[in-house]
Amino acid sequence: LPKKGTMFNSWKAMWIVLSDDGIEFYKKKTDNNSKGMIPLKGGSISSPCQDFGKRMFVFKLSTGKQQDHFFQAAFLEERDAWVKDIKRAITCLEAGRKFARKSTRKSIRLPETVDLGTLYLSMKDQDSGVKELKLEKDKRVFNHCFTGNTVIDWLMANSKIRNRQEGLMLATALLNEGYLQPAGDISKNAVESVSDVTLLDQHDALYYFADSGFYCEGYSSDEDVVLKEEFRGAVVKQGCLLKQGHRRKNWKVRKFILRDDPAYMHYYDPTKGENDALGAIHLRASVVSAVEHVPDAKKYDIEGNLFEIITSDETHYFLQAATSNERKEWIQAIQTVAKTGK
């Protein structure tokens, strides 16, 4: 992974090794002596990390002595896999247990004859595999995902397991090896626990295939809870943008007001004034970037000057500016607030 130097601001590609109590980094894979070791005890992970505007998929490891170390992954799934394993290693340390990712097969007594890659392809089969759905939970919509009990049901129906307990071990192996990913707080908390079996056989635990089209959306409606504290920040920018609705996928003109400290962007119905916000986007540690299309672009034929905000809880917002310059100004303003605001 590219790692930011602690003395200088340069980034260098390093060979990173995660052990049960620290992260060692080497100049290259074949080196015997590491360039350094970052202890995990008392540490914490921040992801996504917006400290570097032009670098995507950065995560930050803060040590118990308040030293920050920055790493950059090549893509979203790689970043999330590193973050998941580092978080679990820290949790195991706090619980007095050792964590070694390579011991997954042994720790859950998975037979050597099981081919997880082949099983994964079977589960992804469009006709006979696990069905990907659009599910709603906690005022969010999870696209292209499925529940934990659905996974176990599929394994049982296809004679891959003898009972549900065996299914939990097999599904946990798929989860630990990155074939399945957790979506939502319940499944993510289970992954970060010290339990050997981390996939949940529950209807409210959500998961998705690692290379699927998964994305999460937050509702945008009058039902959103908007706290008074959100409005304390100074207004940085305001104006009208087209916003895609999360439920019906239609596009409506909304007036947006961007504030910092705390970092929020509220949106309103421009015909009804600014007394009642329709919703709020918490921008701290969010990622904003220009995009060329949205998931429903063909259906709704929306083109040009689009940009996307992905919040720290992986909620996606699609917006459209009137001109390319206006889009650039909004992106720059939001990036600044996301990095500096609370």
Side-chain angles (χ1 to χ4, degrees):
L1 298 172
K3 178 184 180 298
K4 182 180 176 294
T6 52
M7 295 289 290
F8 304 99
N9 288 326
S10 59
W11 291 74
K12 290 184 179 179
M14 309 291 286
W15 182 253
I16 309 298
V17 177
L18 171 63
S19 63
D20 57 354
D21 63 350
I23 289 180
E24 292 180 295
F25 48 97
Y26 299 78
K27 203 168 183 178
K28 52 189 177 184
K29 184 177 179 179
T30 54
D31 286 355
N32 293 321
N33 298 319
S34 69
K35 300 291 290 183
M37 197 275 272
I38 305 169
L40 293 178
K41 189 172 183 179
S44 62
I45 284 280
S46 300
S47 176
C49 174
Q50 269 292 88
D51 290 27
F52 306 94
K54 293 183 179 180
R55 288 185 176 267
M56 298 289 287
F57 312 123
V58 174
F59 63 91
K60 177 172 68 174
L61 172 61
S62 301
T63 68
K65 294 184 178 180
Q66 305 303 311
Q67 294 176 323
D68 294 336
H69 299 270
F70 300 90
F71 300 88
Q72 183 181 19
F75 47 90
L76 177 64
E77 290 80 11
E78 182 183 46
R79 183 199 70 189
D80 289 349
W82 275 101
V83 169
K84 179 184 73 173
D85 286 337
I86 294 171
K87 277 186 176 180
R88 191 154 185 257
I90 292 172
T91 303
C92 286
L93 265 180
E94 293 173 349
R97 293 183 54 179
K98 284 192 174 183
F99 167 66
R101 188 173 187 268
K102 290 183 179 180
S103 67
T104 296
R105 181 179 287 271
K106 184 178 179 181
S107 66
I108 63 174
R109 298 180 295 280
L110 191 66
E112 293 294 333
T113 54
V114 174
D115 187 334
L116 294 177
T118 301
L119 177 61
Y120 175 67
L121 292 177
S122 298
M123 293 177 71
K124 279 207 68 185
D125 187 277
Q126 291 188 350
D127 297 322
S128 59
V130 177
K131 302 303 179 186
E132 296 177 274
L133 304 170
K134 176 185 286 188
L135 302 172
E136 298 185 26
K137 183 173 176 57
D138 298 332
K139 287 194 173 183
R140 286 186 288 173
V141 179
F142 297 86
N143 297 270
H144 299 284
C145 72
F146 40 84
T147 63
N149 64 316
T150 300
V151 174
I152 309 302
D153 290 343
W154 185 90
L155 291 171
M156 289 280 290
N158 288 271
S159 303
K160 305 293 184 182
I161 54 175
R162 292 170 295 182
N163 52 58
R164 300 191 79 83
Q165 184 58 38
E166 192 172 279
L168 282 173
M169 292 191 292
L170 185 54
T172 292
L174 289 165
L175 187 65
N176 289 349
E177 293 304 316
Y179 291 107
L180 304 182
Q181 296 290 331
D185 296 335
I186 293 174
S187 55
K188 287 181 179 179
N189 290 337
V191 165
E192 293 167 16
S193 71
V194 296
S195 172
D196 288 331
V197 178
T198 54
L199 187 131
L200 303 176
D201 184 6
Q202 298 176 196
H203 66 87
D204 54 355
L206 307 182
Y207 301 90
Y208 63 95
F209 294 125
D211 56 353
S212 71
F214 170 80
Y215 63 99
C216 174
E217 309 163 290
Y219 280 170
S220 55
S221 71
D222 295 316
E223 297 171 6
D224 289 343
V225 178
V226 181
L227 303 176
K228 291 183 179 179
E229 288 78 3
E230 297 174 6
F231 297 91
R232 292 181 308 179
V235 174
V236 175
K237 185 175 176 61
Q238 57 182 310
C240 287
L241 296 166
L242 274 174
K243 176 183 176 295
Q244 186 191 45
H246 285 108
R247 290 179 178 177
R248 298 178 181 175
K249 301 300 179 185
N250 55 345
W251 292 78
K252 291 184 178 180
V253 175
R254 294 289 180 244
K255 180 175 181 180
F256 286 84
I257 298 181
L258 174 63
R259 295 179 172 88
D260 65 358
D261 195 25
Y264 277 91
M265 192 157 81
H266 297 90
Y267 48 95
Y268 306 79
D269 183 339
T271 65
K272 297 181 180 179
E274 299 171 12
N275 292 325
D276 297 309
L278 296 177
I281 306 173
H282 191 193
L283 296 173
R284 178 59 182 161
S286 65
V287 176
V288 57
S289 59
V291 295
E292 298 306 317
H293 67 278
V294 297
D296 298 304
K298 290 183 180 179
K299 186 176 180 180
Y300 293 99
D301 197 27
I302 297 294
E303 298 178 357
N305 306 317
L306 296 162
F307 63 99
E308 177 185 21
I309 300 172
I310 306 176
T311 64
S312 59
D313 64 355
E314 304 290 349
T315 303
H316 295 237
Y317 294 86
F318 291 102
L319 306 168
Q320 182 184 28
T323 65
S324 59
N325 284 337
E326 184 182 0
R327 175 175 72 170
K328 184 178 180 181
E329 290 173 2
W330 273 105
I331 289 175
Q332 290 176 340
I334 294 168
Q335 283 179 337
T336 300
V337 168
K339 285 187 283 188
T340 60
K342 294 179 181 178

